[in-house]
Structures are given as structure tokens and as C-alpha cells.
Amino acid sequence: MMVTRRDALRLLIAPVGIAAAAGIAPAAPQTRKLKVLVAGGHPDDPESGCGGTIARHADAGHEVLVLYLTRGEAGIPGTAHEAAARIRTAEAERACAILGAAPRFAGQVDGDTRLDNAAYAAMRELLARERPDAIYTQWPVDTHRDHRTMSVLIYDAWLRTGRSAALGYFEVLTGDQTQLFRPTDYVDITAVARRKRDAVFAHASQKPDEWYPAHERMSRFRGMERGVEHAEAFVRHDRGPALPLPA
Ligand SMILES: [Zn+2]
């Protein structure tokens, strides 16, 4: 029997269940408990971008911290910042509970995020303190300034803490927000797709029924690319350790 390169790749990736892109070796199976940091601009970004992967990491016994740059202060029209922050903090806490993660807040303000020396220093200190094994953050080419801010702060902190964590980027509302995103790695989230949806819908103030269908189309499309029903996709930074994506 002739074994094509595609067959060989399929055999290679099958044991760990990770659909690595062609030509890229899969991540090694994990046995040690990891600390995973998932960083987004607003409450609902980490959940919609990689909520399935968060759930799978948590279910595998790893510690997952979800870091929100802001509390979504400007995200409820007609509601004052302080009240909106309270509502959206509670929604984020509920979403994290559904996924098995712990929320953290980086203290910036929605719609007024800063990319300056103080912000760089604060993020560097946070990474140095938390020492995650893996970081997932927003892709930097994104139409929303707060998403770009978080992505660049994480990238800078990752460089300045010795690139010791694996670094991967996730996508949100691709085409509308995330742009020019070409995945290197995928995670099958079929078994946790319902939980991801529930976590996103914990953000009721954001009217997810209006935009979550776009994310479901994305996860079905990424799933089609890898031959599963629903998948999340990542771009891995190749100057750090391999992404310890769920096996
Ligand atoms: Zn956002």
C-alpha cells in the first residue's frame, strides 16, 4: 500500500487528536498540570474565541486563568461605566464558572485602553507573577482597538519574560473583527460546543443571539477544515514552546 504524505500526517496526529496544520508536528501529550492564561480585551472575547479550548484544558485538570483587559465598561449603551462594569464582571464570573476557569481583570477601561510604558510594565509584572505555561490571546490584526491593545501587551510581556510560555493567537468574528488570520493549529471542540455557547450566553448584556451565530459558522468552518463538526483555530508563535493544545 502506498502511504501518501497526507496518510502519514493523519497517522501522526491521530493519537493526540490534534489537527496540526500540514507540515507542522503536533504538540506532545500533556501529563503535568499546566497553567494556561487566556487573554482578551473584553468579557466575552476569550469565551467566544476559544471557550471550547478553555473547557477542554480545564476538563483535563489544568488551571485556566481568563484575563480580561477591561470590565467592558463602555459595552452597555445607556448604562454608566460603573454599573456596566458590575454587570459584565458578574457575567464573566458566570462564564468562567461554566468553563471551569478563573477570571482575572487587568484594570484597564473599555474604549480607553492604553498602550504605554505603564501598561507594558503592568502586563510584564503580571506574566512574571503568574508564570503561565501557555498563553492564548487575541490576534493583533483586528478592527477593535481594545483587542489590538491586549494582543500587543501580551506579546511585549511574553518577549520580556523570556518567551518561556507557549503563545497562541485566537480569532473573534473573523472578517468583521479578526483579519488576515491563517491557522496553524486546531482543537476539536465538538464535545464542548454546547458549554462554549452557554459561556458566551452568560454575557446576556452583549445580546449574543445577534452575533454568536457568526461564531458557530466559524467553528463549523474550522471543523470542516479538520474533518470534525466544530473546531477552534489558532496561530502559534513559533519562537516559543509548542502549544499544549488539549489531546
Ligand atoms: Zn471585544
Side-chain angles (χ1 to χ4, degrees), residues 59-186:
D59 290 353
H62 302 307
E63 178 183 7
V64 185
L65 303 180
V66 176
L67 179 66
Y68 303 100
L69 183 61
T70 75
R71 293 176 188 261
E73 291 86 346
I76 307 180
T79 301
H81 275 196
E82 201 175 308
R86 256 197 317 276
I87 292 166
R88 298 196 65 188
T89 298
E91 290 173 344
E93 288 168 350
R94 170 89 185 114
C96 284
I98 291 168
L99 297 175
R104 297 283 187 276
F105 297 90
Q108 292 217 34
V109 176
D110 181 12
D112 189 32
T113 54
R114 305 297 167 99
L115 197 54
D116 55 20
N117 285 344
Y120 282 126
M123 193 59 74
R124 184 175 69 245
E125 284 161 20
L126 190 150
L127 281 201
R129 189 170 65 246
E130 297 291 353
R131 300 168 56 82
D133 298 289
I135 306 167
Y136 305 119
T137 193
Q138 303 208 222
W139 175 247
V141 185
D142 186 295
T143 54
H144 201 303
R145 184 181 289 174
D146 295 342
H147 299 173
R148 299 197 297 271
T149 302
M150 184 51 133
S151 188
V152 172
L153 286 174
I154 287 286
Y155 177 62
D156 185 83
W158 177 75
L159 289 175
R160 285 163 189 264
T161 52
R163 297 185 302 208
S164 54
L167 177 61
Y169 295 93
F170 60 81
E171 55 182 337
V172 292
L173 289 179
T174 292
D176 180 33
Q177 294 189 330
T178 291
Q179 301 179 340
L180 303 176
F181 187 88
R182 302 291 180 267
T184 59
D185 295 74
Y186 295 79

Side-chain angles (χ1 to χ4, degrees), residues 1 21 46 87 102 131 139 197-198 216 220:
M1 183 183 79
I87 292 166
R131 300 168 56 82
W139 175 247
R197 186 181 189 282
D198 289 346
E216 281 187 328
R220 284 191 184 279

Side-chain angles (χ1 to χ4, degrees), residues 42 44-45 147:
H42 312 107
D44 79 23
D45 289 319
H147 299 173

